[in-house]
Amino acid sequence: WVKAIDIKIGMIVQEPKISIESSDDIDLNKLILLGVLIGDGCLHGYEIKWTCYSEGLMAYVSNNMPYNLKVKQIIPNEYRISQIEGVKNNPYKKWLEEIGLWGKYSEEKFIPDIIFKQSNESTGIFLMSLFSTDGSFNPNGHTIAYTSRSERLCQDVKKLLRRLGVVSRVYTYYREGMF
């Protein structure tokens, strides 16, 4: 470590990796679904909808669906997330309302505070699900990217990555309204 007064122009400054161990971790199935819904979900209207073009991701999410929910295809690549029979209201929709995400459009989405209180393992699972929707990987440039219309969401992703020791940056993409 170097004292702040001794930092010179051109020196690399690195933040310490923060490890959080949480006893309040969200069920992994809820985390997986939350990640894909923040990325490609329709979180307004009267039902939860999700767009998915990957058969592998669809199978992964279906196999990890919270116990009281089911996924049903509406039209090609569009799915409805609803409660199982015998459950009156969609408990996941209620939870999305409680954490402030229900009613948000793409440009308004964010990572709810409860995710910032998860353990590093749970945070990684959430980020894996989120990046499975609008993320990309360039093996030649050794870079990953996440694209969103919501600058707040991108800043939130940056904070979570920083907590895991991943240096990242947010910049405006070539198309207007993309970060």
Side-chain angles (χ1 to χ4, degrees):
W1 289 97
V2 176
K3 292 181 181 179
I5 197 164
D6 295 330
I7 295 175
K8 307 272 189 260
I9 294 176
M11 290 178 80
I12 296 174
V13 178
Q14 184 176 1
E15 294 183 44
K17 182 177 168 184
I18 301 169
S19 179
I20 294 179
E21 297 305 322
S22 173
S23 61
D24 295 331
D25 275 351
I26 298 171
D27 177 72
L28 295 182
N29 297 337
K30 276 177 98 170
L31 279 176
I32 291 166
L33 186 56
L34 182 63
V36 298
L37 288 177
I38 289 175
D40 282 336
C42 176
L43 304 180
H44 52 85
Y46 63 93
E47 61 187 2
I48 303 171
K49 292 182 183 172
W50 175 48
T51 303
C52 181
Y53 292 92
S54 165
E55 289 181 23
L57 181 58
M58 180 62 218
Y60 177 72
V61 171
S62 293
N63 291 332
N64 288 286
M65 190 64 58
Y67 76 93
N68 52 2
L69 298 176
K70 63 182 177 180
V71 60
K72 182 178 180 186
Q73 187 170 10
I74 305 169
I75 58 173
N77 304 314
E78 190 171 309
Y79 302 87
R80 177 182 302 123
I81 309 293
S82 59
Q83 67 275 18
I84 59 172
E85 290 182 31
V87 177
K88 188 173 182 176
N89 295 313
N90 188 327
Y92 205 82
K93 180 180 173 188
K94 183 177 182 200
W95 185 63
L96 290 170
E97 290 169 352
E98 291 170 4
I99 61 175
L101 279 172
W102 188 254
K104 301 297 183 202
Y105 290 84
S106 298
E107 62 276 4
E108 302 170 312
K109 289 182 180 177
F110 61 93
I111 295 176
D113 290 339
I114 194 167
I115 298 299
F116 291 93
K117 298 173 184 169
Q118 300 302 297
S119 67
N120 288 349
E121 180 182 355
S122 292
T123 300
I125 289 169
F126 168 78
L127 285 170
M128 176 193 68
S129 299
L130 182 66
F131 272 78
S132 294
T133 60
D134 293 323
S136 61
F137 173 67
N138 178 347
N140 296 328
H142 305 289
T143 59
I144 60 172
Y146 183 78
T147 305
S148 174
R149 293 183 49 128
S150 169
E151 184 175 9
R152 179 178 175 190
L153 176 56
C154 290
Q155 293 295 345
D156 288 346
V157 168
K158 180 180 175 181
K159 288 177 193 172
L160 284 178
L161 289 171
R162 182 182 317 134
R163 195 181 95 196
L164 298 176
V166 178
V167 178
S168 61
R169 65 186 174 123
V170 174
Y171 62 94
T172 302
Y173 198 66
Y174 73 93
R175 289 179 15 203
E176 186 176 326
M178 302 295 268
F179 297 97

